[in-house]
């Protein structure tokens, strides 16, 4: 019972650590796709840059949500 009480204090930190993995991978995929698209067709770099920044912003929003939720629902 003592271990459970000691573990409950760091659950928010563990939760954010796990929640940061997904957006980190997502940002890498977004920029890898942008670089690949620009390398294949350089004249579309302007249009694909807009989509890359949009995908980056949405991925980072998930990271911020993952950061806030343990504080909101933590005890």
């Amino acid at each position: 019972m003592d271990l459970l009480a000691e573990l409950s204090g760091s659950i928010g930190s563990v939760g954010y650590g796990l929640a940061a993995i997904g957006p980190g991978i997502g940002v890498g995929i977004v920029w890898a796709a942008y670089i690949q698209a620009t390398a294949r067709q350089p004249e579309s770099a302007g249009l694909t840059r807009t989509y890359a920044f949009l995908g980056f912003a949405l991925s980072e929003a998930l990271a911020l949500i993952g950061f806030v939720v343990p504080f909101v629902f933590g005890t």
Side-chain angles (χ1 to χ4, degrees):
M1 189 68 159
D2 188 36
L3 178 63
L4 183 62
E6 185 178 331
L7 185 63
S8 67
S10 64
I11 293 294
S13 299
V14 172
Y16 177 65
L18 292 174
I21 293 171
I25 293 171
V27 167
I29 290 172
V30 165
W31 289 114
Y34 170 69
I35 291 169
Q36 187 175 20
T38 303
R40 288 177 183 254
Q41 196 170 5
E43 62 270 7
S44 71
L47 180 64
T48 54
R49 185 179 305 123
T50 303
Y51 292 132
F53 279 114
L54 182 62
F56 171 74
L58 291 174
S59 295
E60 284 299 316
L62 290 176
L64 292 175
I65 290 171
F67 180 68
V68 171
V69 166
F71 290 116
V72 171
F73 294 114
T75 55

